[in-house]
Amino acid sequence: MTADPARTRTRIRDRGDGAADGNTAAWRTRSDLASAGRTATGLLLVSADADSVAAAGGHAERAGAYAAALEAAGVGATDRVVVALSGDGELAGAQWAQAAAEVARAAASVGPRGRLRLHHALDSLKATTLVITPTGAMDLLARLHLEFLLDPLDLGLRHIILTGEIASRRTMPHLAAEFEAEVTEVYCSPFTAVPLGWRSSEPAPLTLFDPGSVGLASLEKDESLVPPYAAGLAEVVVADPVAGATLRTGQVVRLAAGDAVPAPEHTVGDHVLVRGVWLSLNRIERALGKIDGVSGWELGVSRQGTLDAATLTVTFNRESLVGNPMWKARVRQALQALTPITIDVEISPQASETALRGVVNDARGHHLGRDRTAIAR
């Protein structure tokens, strides 16, 4: 992509020592936050794999953002809210519930749970509002129909708030029709899970709560884009006032010409979003590099049903390891130490002495590549 100088701000030039030239801020990615926990102070928000640490910020500011998101979704004083988030969004469950307790009649964060237990919680609490991931909502709907033989309308949900993942196409209208509920998607910071914007329909762009805290950037250079935008791809960036930095979220939008900021449809870089958790490809690479005999790997991600599934296919450099169950177990244990996400392990039947860099095969169409600068606009 070639940036249009008329539509970019001054390029931010990081000197490499953590500071930036002039009055501009340094640019950071999720990978740059891995060591932040050693020096960060105050209340910290830590990702599920402890690979990203961010300062929580002020309590009043966070509470106001969650309350604004609930009010944008139509939640009011007569509603009863259940928050059932998994992945990195689980960290924000208490924040959602606390804000909902101020906005609505009652609120509870029940965390991730099996769909039958979630159905029981919704019924027991007489919930009218559900905060959940898009795949979680679709999985609940599928199980209500196919396994539990229950009518979704019997739950009496009036509002469904989706957050934490990239939703499949037609998720919002499908849920709205099945539950006869208002469906709102809330875009939250992938670092702090604080709501940043929302949309009430799939074609609609995001309505940002604080436009100054969210921006769009070129994939090729550390340059912020300013409206009116040219059509093409751009990465969402958020401000980190504590560190004085601009954070690349790894989330990519498809821009139409104009001023609107759409919801993210893709990811880019060395992290892949799987079941609401950002999975570090660099950590997978380092972990497998410690296992003798691994010459290459491919991470496959799919969403054939309602939930994401991940499979790591490993290639060994000699035939004697291909059918060795102990080596396969070592790979599986290495992955379990990295992430709470279940990743199936398969072994390539063909050995290869040539060392190859790990690759991602995302059948969902979400992840565009590890090198953002190589992606065509």
Side-chain angles (χ1 to χ4, degrees):
M1 176 182 70
T2 302
D4 180 355
R7 294 185 178 181
T8 60
R9 297 192 184 104
T10 302
R11 183 176 179 182
I12 296 174
R13 299 179 298 278
D14 188 1
R15 297 198 307 256
D17 58 358
D21 294 342
N23 295 321
T24 57
W27 287 66
R28 299 285 183 263
T29 66
R30 175 173 288 271
S31 296
D32 296 324
L33 300 181
S35 61
R38 298 186 178 94
T39 56
T41 59
L43 180 61
L44 305 179
L45 299 175
V46 184
S47 63
D49 62 356
D51 199 43
S52 172
V53 178
H59 172 75
E61 181 182 357
R62 297 197 313 275
Y66 287 104
L70 290 162
E71 291 170 350
V75 178
T78 62
D79 285 301
R80 304 177 65 84
V81 181
V82 166
V83 183
L85 292 175
S86 58
D88 289 339
E90 186 180 352
L91 297 173
Q95 300 280 355
W96 279 104
Q98 187 173 9
E102 300 294 330
V103 173
R105 177 173 295 179
S109 177
V110 300
R113 55 180 59 207
R115 300 308 172 206
L116 186 57
R117 290 189 294 123
L118 175 57
H119 176 272
H120 180 67
L122 293 171
D123 184 59
S124 297
L125 298 173
K126 300 302 177 188
T128 63
T129 301
L130 174 61
V131 182
I132 194 170
T133 61
T135 60
M138 291 296 289
D139 190 58
L140 172 64
L141 176 61
R143 293 177 186 273
L144 288 177
H145 279 312
L146 301 177
E147 295 184 25
F148 310 152
L149 302 180
L150 297 172
D151 189 338
L153 297 180
D154 290 342
L155 281 174
L157 292 175
R158 296 200 297 260
H159 310 284
I160 298 176
I161 299 175
L162 307 177
T163 189
E165 292 177 324
I166 296 175
S168 299
R169 293 190 182 277
R170 294 199 53 77
T171 292
M172 294 181 71
H174 187 54
L175 292 172
E178 291 282 355
F179 287 97
E180 292 188 3
E182 294 183 38
V183 179
T184 304
E185 183 177 5
V186 175
Y187 173 66
C188 294
S189 166
F191 306 106
T192 65
V194 170
L196 299 175
W198 63 280
R199 62 175 179 170
S200 57
S201 67
E202 196 170 276
L206 291 175
T207 298
L208 300 175
F209 296 117
D210 179 8
S213 65
V214 181
L216 297 176
S218 162
L219 293 178
E220 188 179 59
K221 301 176 181 180
D222 287 345
E223 293 178 341
S224 295
L225 306 179
V226 295
Y229 304 115
L233 299 175
E235 185 172 357
V236 180
V237 294
V238 296
D240 182 0
V242 176
T246 298
L247 300 179
R248 286 187 174 272
T249 63
Q251 296 173 317
V252 176
V253 300
R254 287 191 175 274
L255 291 170
D259 298 342
V261 177
E265 295 184 42
H266 304 284
T267 57
V268 70
D270 285 320
H271 287 79
V272 179
L273 187 59
V274 182
R275 299 191 73 164
V277 172
W278 289 90
L279 183 60
S280 171
L281 302 177
N282 287 334
R283 292 190 70 194
I284 291 177
E285 208 154 51
R286 290 196 297 268
L288 294 181
K290 298 177 182 179
I291 301 176
D292 175 49
V294 174
S295 61
W297 55 270
E298 177 182 286
L299 178 67
V301 188
S302 63
R303 189 179 289 174
Q304 296 179 353
T306 54
L307 300 176
D308 292 342
T311 301
L312 187 76
T313 302
V314 175
T315 301
F316 289 119
N317 60 15
R318 51 189 184 273
E319 295 288 346
S320 60
L321 299 180
V322 171
N324 191 318
M326 185 175 72
W327 252 249
K328 182 176 181 179
R330 289 183 64 184
V331 173
R332 184 182 296 109
Q333 291 166 3
L335 295 177
Q336 290 173 346
L338 296 181
T339 176
I341 296 300
T342 298
I343 302 177
D344 293 331
V345 176
E346 294 184 357
I347 305 300
S348 173
Q350 303 296 326
S352 174
E353 295 183 0
T354 303
L356 301 172
R357 192 186 190 206
V359 297
V360 177
N361 180 11
D362 192 341
R364 304 168 303 177
H366 291 180
H367 199 66
L368 298 177
R370 298 181 69 173
D371 183 0
R372 53 175 45 84
T373 64
I375 297 169
R377 182 180 170 92

